[in-house]
Amino acid sequence: MASGFFAILDDIGALMDDIAVTSKLATKKTAGILGDDLAVNAEKATGFLSSREIPVLWAITKGSFINKLIILPIVFLLNFFFPAAIKVILVLGGIYLAYEGVEKIIEFFFHRNKKGHEVVEESVLPEDDANSEKSKISSAIKTDFILSLEIVIIALGTVIEKEHPLLTQIIVVSLVAIVATIGVYGIVALIVRMDDAGFFLMKKSGNKGFLSGLGQVLIKALPIVIKILGVVGTIALLLVSGEIFLHNIDYIHHLLPENVLSKFGLGIVFGLVAVLLATVGKKFIALIKPTK
C-alpha cells in the first residue's frame, strides 16, 4: 500500500517536472508574439479618460479570458479531429490583423482633420463617448482573440513536437494562455496609470526632490509612450500577420525568405487587399440596401 502511494507521488512529481520544463519552452517560443500582444493591446487600451482607463482595461481583460476559454477546447478538438482547420483559421486571423494594421496607416495619412466646432459638437455628446468606448473595447477583444489563437497554437505546437501526453498538452497550453493574459494586461495597466503614479509622487514629495522629478518624468513620458505604442502596435499587427502567412501558406513559404522585411511586406499586401475588398463590399451593400 505504502509503495503504491509513493509510486503515485513519484508519477505526479515527474508530471509536474515535465509540465514545468515544457511550459518554459513553450513560453520562450511564444515570447515574440507576447511582445506583439503587449504593444497591440497597450495601444488599444489607451486614449480614454483617466477615470475610465481601469474599467476599460478590466473589460478587455475579461474579454481576453473569455477568448481563451473559447479557444482552448476548440483548438484541442480541431487538432485531434481536423488538424488542417487550424491552418485555415490562422490565415483568416492573419488577414484580419493585416486589415487592422493597414487601416490604421490609411487613417493616419488620409484622416480628415476636423474643424474646431465639429470637435466641440462631438465632445458634448456623452452617448458618442459611450459608443466609442464600447467600439474600442470590442475592437481590442477581437484583436486579442486572433493573437490569443496564435499564442495557443504555437504553444500547442511546442508540446506536440515533443510528443507529450494529452494531459501535459492541456495543462501546459492552458498555463501559457493564463500567464500571457495576466502578464500582458498587468503591464498594460502599469503603462496607462503612469500619469497617476507621477501625480502621486509629486504630491507625496511636496513637489520637491527626486520623487517630484521622477513624477514629472512619468507624466511627460506617458504621451510619448502612447505614441510609440501606437506605432509599435501597428507594426506588430503587420509583422504578426505576415508571419502567419509566411508559415502557413506553402507557396509563400517557399517563395520568400523568413525575415522581418518579408513579414512586414506580406502584412501590407494582404492588408491592402483586405481593406480594398472591405471598402468595395461596404459600397456594394450601401447600393443594394433599400432606402427608408
Side-chain angles (χ1 to χ4, degrees), residues 211-264:
L211 289 179
S212 177
L214 179 60
Q216 292 178 24
V217 169
L218 289 174
I219 294 169
K220 292 178 181 178
L222 179 59
I224 299 173
V225 171
I226 291 174
K227 288 181 180 178
I228 292 173
L229 286 173
V231 176
V232 173
T234 301
I235 295 173
L237 286 170
L238 296 170
L239 287 176
V240 172
S241 63
E243 186 168 8
I244 291 173
F245 302 137
L246 192 61
H247 288 171
N248 294 281
I249 301 177
D250 291 335
Y251 176 77
I252 294 175
H253 180 71
H254 295 297
L255 181 66
L256 297 176
E258 185 173 349
N259 54 45
V260 173
L261 187 60
S262 295
K263 295 173 185 176
F264 188 78

Side-chain angles (χ1 to χ4, degrees), residues 1-276:
M1 178 71 76
S3 61
F5 175 74
F6 285 113
I8 292 173
L9 287 180
D10 186 60
D11 290 340
I12 293 173
L15 176 63
M16 296 305 295
D17 184 61
D18 192 24
I19 289 170
V21 173
T22 310
S23 297
K24 184 177 179 180
L25 179 61
T27 304
K28 282 183 178 180
K29 287 204 172 186
T30 58
I33 196 168
L34 286 176
D36 294 335
D37 198 5
L38 171 63
V40 171
N41 287 293
E43 187 270 330
K44 284 184 174 290
T46 55
F48 300 98
L49 294 174
S50 178
S51 61
R52 296 299 304 158
E53 286 175 346
I54 295 301
V56 165
L57 186 57
W58 176 236
I60 297 173
T61 304
K62 288 190 292 184
S64 179
F65 274 115
I66 292 172
N67 283 342
K68 291 173 178 66
L69 285 175
I70 295 170
I71 289 169
L72 285 168
I74 291 176
V75 166
F76 280 116
L77 289 171
L78 284 176
N79 183 63
F80 186 79
F81 292 106
F82 191 34
I86 291 181
K87 184 176 289 190
V88 175
I89 293 171
L90 272 176
V91 172
L92 291 175
I95 292 172
Y96 176 78
L97 294 179
Y99 169 83
E100 282 254 305
V102 170
E103 188 180 43
K104 290 169 72 67
I105 293 174
I106 292 173
E107 183 180 358
F108 175 80
F109 283 107
F110 300 102
H111 180 66
R112 180 177 66 89
N113 292 324
K114 295 178 180 178
K115 297 178 181 179
H117 69 276
E118 292 178 307
V119 175
V120 172
E121 287 174 0
E122 290 185 359
S123 64
V124 298
L125 295 175
E127 64 272 17
D128 283 358
D129 291 336
N131 291 334
S132 175
E133 181 178 298
K134 290 179 181 177
S135 176
K136 288 181 179 180
I137 292 172
S138 176
S139 175
I141 292 174
K142 288 177 183 176
T143 302
D144 175 90
F145 187 91
I146 306 301
L147 291 169
S148 296
L149 183 62
E150 179 78 353
I151 289 169
V152 168
I153 291 178
I154 290 174
L156 179 60
T158 303
V159 293
I160 290 175
E161 284 177 7
K162 301 298 181 180
E163 298 182 351
H164 289 285
L166 180 61
L167 179 60
T168 302
Q169 294 179 22
I170 293 173
I171 294 175
V172 168
V173 176
S174 299
L175 280 175
V176 171
I178 293 170
V179 169
T181 302
I182 295 173
V184 166
Y185 288 102
I187 296 173
V188 170
L190 292 176
I191 292 173
V192 300
R193 302 304 286 181
M194 279 176 59
D195 54 345
D196 293 300
F199 284 122
F200 174 78
L201 290 175
M202 291 175 65
K203 183 178 179 180
K204 189 174 181 64
S205 63
N207 292 330
K208 296 179 181 178
F210 172 76
L211 289 179
S212 177
L214 179 60
Q216 292 178 24
V217 169
L218 289 174
I219 294 169
K220 292 178 181 178
L222 179 59
I224 299 173
V225 171
I226 291 174
K227 288 181 180 178
I228 292 173
L229 286 173
V231 176
V232 173
T234 301
I235 295 173
L237 286 170
L238 296 170
L239 287 176
V240 172
S241 63
E243 186 168 8
I244 291 173
F245 302 137
L246 192 61
H247 288 171
N248 294 281
I249 301 177
D250 291 335
Y251 176 77
I252 294 175
H253 180 71
H254 295 297
L255 181 66
L256 297 176
E258 185 173 349
N259 54 45
V260 173
L261 187 60
S262 295
K263 295 173 185 176
F264 188 78
L266 284 170
I268 290 288
V269 171
F270 276 82
L272 285 171
V273 173
V275 169
L276 177 62

